Amino acid sequence: MTLGLVAATSSGIAWIGIAGWIVTFAAGAAFVSTSQEHLTAAMGDRRAPAVSWNNSALYAGTAAGTFLLGMTELGSASFTVLAASFSALAVLFSALVLLRRHPIAAEFESHPKSAT
């Protein structure tokens, strides 16, 4: 995703920029649907609030990123660095979430019939 954003925002060649956006959108779409499915499967009875908080964080991040990126010029070095940094942070935080197992999710996964 990060490489797709770098290609999309810094390339002067149209087809490389378009390919970068396609890779970025595909990676983003795959992540959102996978994370939503994971939350509904892992959180048991608390899946509705978990998905709601996840969506709220997603929209808040989108708003903050749009605001900050909107203050830079498209195609500039600052835009590319900022976009790639946001992407790298998303990957980092996702990895941290996967490494840190939530106690409710761990309990649900070890005893799926008793947690539902």
Side-chain angles (χ1 to χ4, degrees):
M1 184 172 190
T2 303
L3 293 176
L5 274 172
V6 170
T9 59
S10 65
S11 176
I13 302 170
W15 71 268
I16 293 176
I18 292 169
W21 285 120
I22 290 171
V23 167
T24 301
F25 293 152
F31 173 76
V32 171
S33 60
T34 303
S35 68
Q36 296 285 343
E37 195 281 327
H38 172 73
L39 282 172
T40 58
M43 294 307 289
D45 291 340
R46 296 183 180 169
R47 65 181 167 258
V51 171
S52 296
W53 278 109
N54 183 60
N55 285 340
S56 296
L58 178 69
Y59 293 135
T62 300
T66 302
F67 172 75
L68 291 173
L69 288 171
M71 294 172 43
T72 62
E73 183 180 344
L74 180 63
S76 66
S78 59
F79 186 93
T80 300
V81 168
L82 197 55
S85 298
F86 287 154
S87 176
L89 284 172
V91 170
L92 174 69
F93 287 137
S94 297
L96 289 174
V97 167
L98 286 176
L99 293 173
R100 182 186 165 268
R101 303 297 299 162
H102 192 281
I104 294 171
E107 177 186 337
F108 180 75
E109 290 171 356
S110 65
H111 307 290
K113 291 184 181 178
S114 64
T116 56

